[in-house]
């Protein structure tokens, strides 16, 4: 039995006990029993994920893939301290994927790289943990699902709410019938975003491989207001605030209401305050209509205050009561239940800030071994990201739309339908996207 066969079968024969028995004195699993995970993109969220994956006793990180050498140092140091060996720093993801000893890839790049990296990794026989939103557009998300199924890969989307115990209990409560018929969910996003100002284009900084950073999409001149931590608000590289935050909260709403694709999406979005280089609105109101159910989303990323001191909140309205769920002061998630009179009758908080991310990572690692479907499987991530993309299409076109979920298409509006996909440049990583495989 070779090493990859071992990883595929060990979950059925008690791999946890085997790892524990073979663990060296420092508590880490024996090298032969570790899952070898490469990190792609280690600035911001990628740095946090590097720390969390490196802390797992049965994970080894042999590669850091980062196209900006100016931000790679902290991640290299994190891994070196955790596993007493400095990983190899590479720019080109193909170097990582060509190594047969690598089991999985963690993708924490800008959004325009999420699906291209996932497609390449699946084709190379690697499992994938990819940050949310899964895709830049609807077609990309479907390609990711197809690639995962075709190559029989585990693809976990970084929607850690699926593994957060308190959110799991919330969903169970909403579905329990104790609120009566729950037909409506509302999301309030009031997480204040900074004013970026306006910046001119400039030469590419030293240490940045901008061609690789751009990847499969048409290249724009370098600008710091569409680079690290600012790309998300530029339509060319990101999915706006709706894709950034909405991917989490709309996913929970879908999960609790047990719905998938909307039939109609309507609403409006505007830039009421920001006059900076952001392209996405600072204020929007989007309605997602399903058969007999509805999700409303309000966004105000220009205000410093939130709903009952929560930056992100959702409310589920039932015929017998309602429940709020959000991230309140101190970063703790909680839910509060109200009866028909509006009186609070129950409250539950998680004991420490976000307890979902480590279980989510553990779920991914365990699924690599067992080949079970992960908590936030690629299909789940695709459908939730689709809601974000459809909301953005409404905002960008200024028109409501009807969506055919079976065909993943928009009829009667060529401009809106065109935003379900995008153009790609002639580039080594775009062949898969153009071919649709």
């Amino acid at each position: 039995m070779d090493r990859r066969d071992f990883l595929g079968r060990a979950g059925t024969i008690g791999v946890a006990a085997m790892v524990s028995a073979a663990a060296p004195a420092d508590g880490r699993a024996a090298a032969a029993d570790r899952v070898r995970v490469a990190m792609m993109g280690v600035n911001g969220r990628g740095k946090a994920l590097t720390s969390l994956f490196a802390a797992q006793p049965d994970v080894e990180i042999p590669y850091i893939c980062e196209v900006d050498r100016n931000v790679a140092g902290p991640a290299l140091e994190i891994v070196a301290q955790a596993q007493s060996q400095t990983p190899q720093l590479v720019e080109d993801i193909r170097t990582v994927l060509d190594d047969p000893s690598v089991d999985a890839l963690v993708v924490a790049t800008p959004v325009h790289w999420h699906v291209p990296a996932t497609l390449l990794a699946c084709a190379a026989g690697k499992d994938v943990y990819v940050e949310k939103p899964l895709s830049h557009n609807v077609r990309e998300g479907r390609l990711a699902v197809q690639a995962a199924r075709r190559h029989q890969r585990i693809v976990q989307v970084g929607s850690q709410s699926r593994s957060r115990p308190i959110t799991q209990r919330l969903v169970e409560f909403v579905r329990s019938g104790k609120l009566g018929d729950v037909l409506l969910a509302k999301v309030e996003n009031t997480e204040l975003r900074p004013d970026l100002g306006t910046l001119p284009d400039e030469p590419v900084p030293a240490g940045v491989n901008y061609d690789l950073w751009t990847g499969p999409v048409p290249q724009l001149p370098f600008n710091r207001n569409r680079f690290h931590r600012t790309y998300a608000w530029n339509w060319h590289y990101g999915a706006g605030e709706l894709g950034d935050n909405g991917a989490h909260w709309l996913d929970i709403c879908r999960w609790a209401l047990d719905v998938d694709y909307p039939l109609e999406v309507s609403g409006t979005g505007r830039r009421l305050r920001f006059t900076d280089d952001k392209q996405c609105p600072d204020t929007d109101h989007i309605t997602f209509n399903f058969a007999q159910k509805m999700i409303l989303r309000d966004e105000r990323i220009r205000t410093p205050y939130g709903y009952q001191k929560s930056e992100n909140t959702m409310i589920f309205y039932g015929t017998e009561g309602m429940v709020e769920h959000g991230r309140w002061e101190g970063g703790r998630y909680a839910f509060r239940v109200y009866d028909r009179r509006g009186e609070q009758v129950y409250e539950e908080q998680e004991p420490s800030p976000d307890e979902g991310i480590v279980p989510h990572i553990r779920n991914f690692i365990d699924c690599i071994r067992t080949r079970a479907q992960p908590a936030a499987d690629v299909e789940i991530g695709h459908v939730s990201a689709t809601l974000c993309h459809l909301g953005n299409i409404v905002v960008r076109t200024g028109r409501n739309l009807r969506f055919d979920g079976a065909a993943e298409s928009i009829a009667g509006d060529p401009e809106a339908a065109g935003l379900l996909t995008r153009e790609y440049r002639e580039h080594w990583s775009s062949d898969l996207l153009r071919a649709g495989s």
Side-chain angles (χ1 to χ4, degrees):
M1 183 185 299
D2 65 23
R3 182 174 178 279
R4 194 169 295 278
D5 284 339
F6 168 79
L7 288 173
R9 303 179 192 177
T12 63
I13 56 176
V15 68
M18 295 164 59
V19 168
S20 177
D26 64 0
R28 294 190 64 79
D33 298 335
R34 295 177 195 164
V35 176
R36 287 170 58 85
V37 177
M39 310 297 298
M40 182 181 182
V42 293
N43 187 50
R45 182 63 170 173
K47 177 184 172 183
L49 287 176
T50 299
S51 179
L52 292 166
F53 272 90
Q56 305 309 306
D58 53 347
V59 169
E60 180 180 348
I61 301 178
Y63 292 100
I64 296 293
C65 182
E66 174 56 62
V67 298
D68 184 355
R69 292 181 175 267
N70 301 299
V71 302
L76 291 170
E77 184 177 349
I78 287 169
V79 178
Q81 291 181 353
Q83 62 188 31
S84 301
Q85 183 177 349
T86 301
Q88 183 178 348
L89 176 62
V90 299
E91 293 182 346
D92 195 329
I93 189 59
R94 292 172 294 185
T95 301
V96 174
L97 300 181
D98 285 343
D99 186 341
S101 73
V102 172
D103 299 302
L105 178 69
V106 175
V107 183
T109 62
V111 174
H112 72 281
W113 254 112
H114 283 187
V115 167
T118 298
L119 299 183
L120 292 167
C122 287
K126 317 300 182 187
D127 296 321
V128 181
Y129 183 106
V130 55
E131 264 304 324
K132 58 78 199 167
L134 168 65
S135 57
H136 177 271
N137 56 73
V138 174
R139 178 174 175 271
E140 282 188 2
R142 178 49 58 190
L143 293 181
V145 174
Q146 292 172 348
R149 303 299 185 247
R150 180 181 303 110
H151 299 289
Q152 299 182 337
R153 294 296 94 200
I154 302 298
V155 177
Q156 172 92 297
V157 179
S159 299
Q160 67 264 21
S161 298
R162 293 274 174 164
S163 298
R164 184 184 300 122
I166 194 168
T167 306
Q168 292 170 337
R169 292 193 292 274
L170 164 82
V171 170
E172 182 180 359
F173 183 85
V174 171
R175 291 184 169 193
S176 70
K178 295 177 181 178
L179 293 174
D181 293 328
V182 182
L183 306 177
L184 172 66
K186 183 177 181 180
V187 177
E188 290 267 349
N189 176 32
T190 54
E191 189 168 346
L192 180 65
R193 296 303 188 184
D195 189 324
L196 300 180
T198 57
L199 294 176
D201 298 338
E202 61 179 282
V204 177
V208 175
N209 188 327
Y210 191 55
D211 184 70
L212 282 176
W213 187 90
T214 301
V217 304
Q219 190 170 84
L220 302 180
F222 180 85
N223 190 298
R224 294 184 188 275
N225 266 353
R226 50 176 183 258
F227 191 50
H228 289 321
R229 304 192 184 203
T230 56
Y231 72 85
W233 299 305
N234 184 280
W235 299 127
H236 194 68
Y237 302 115
E241 186 69 21
L242 185 56
D244 188 59
N245 249 318
H248 281 308
W249 302 99
L250 291 177
D251 179 65
I252 299 172
C253 288
R254 277 203 323 106
W255 182 18
L257 293 182
D258 194 22
V259 295
D260 46 31
Y261 295 110
L263 303 174
E264 299 173 327
V265 184
S266 60
T268 187
R270 291 180 59 193
R271 289 160 56 86
L272 295 179
R273 177 184 178 190
F274 289 128
T275 58
D276 60 3
D277 285 335
K278 294 188 190 75
Q279 293 180 328
C280 72
D282 57 36
T283 306
D284 66 42
H285 178 83
I286 307 295
T287 301
F288 301 89
N289 282 316
F290 305 83
Q292 303 301 315
K293 295 182 182 180
M294 183 183 296
I295 297 175
L296 306 178
R297 181 182 182 275
D298 284 333
E299 172 181 294
R300 299 183 305 279
I301 61 173
R302 56 184 168 75
T303 57
Y305 52 86
Y307 174 83
Q308 295 194 11
K309 299 183 179 180
S310 172
E311 291 181 329
N312 299 285
T313 311
M314 62 189 62
I315 308 171
F316 295 92
Y317 296 93
T319 55
E320 300 300 320
M322 70 178 190
V323 58
E324 302 169 343
H325 178 51
R327 182 174 58 193
W328 271 275
E329 291 177 313
R332 286 179 170 82
Y333 289 80
F335 69 86
R336 300 166 179 165
V337 181
Y338 299 83
D339 63 18
R340 293 186 63 175
R341 298 173 299 172
E343 300 292 335
Q344 182 176 327
V345 294
Y346 182 75
E347 178 174 354
E348 183 174 339
Q349 290 191 15
E350 65 180 6
S352 60
D354 199 354
E355 293 197 327
I357 183 62
V358 172
H360 206 55
I361 288 171
R362 288 307 319 171
N363 175 252
F364 174 62
I365 295 167
D366 293 342
C367 288
I368 290 175
R369 292 193 166 98
T370 65
R371 312 313 295 171
Q373 190 174 92
D377 175 66
V378 61
E379 182 90 42
I380 290 172
H382 167 54
V383 178
S384 293
T386 294
L387 268 65
C388 302
H389 300 320
L390 294 177
N392 282 333
I393 291 173
V394 166
V395 167
R396 295 176 70 179
T397 62
R399 294 187 295 277
N400 302 336
L401 60 86
R402 293 186 62 85
F403 186 67
D404 182 342
E408 296 186 348
S409 64
I410 299 170
D413 191 333
E415 181 188 4
L419 294 174
L420 294 172
T421 184
R422 71 171 307 158
E423 293 183 0
Y424 301 93
R425 66 172 174 159
E426 295 294 329
H427 189 272
W428 57 265
S429 67
S430 61
D431 292 340
L432 290 169
L433 293 159
R434 285 197 300 269
S437 62

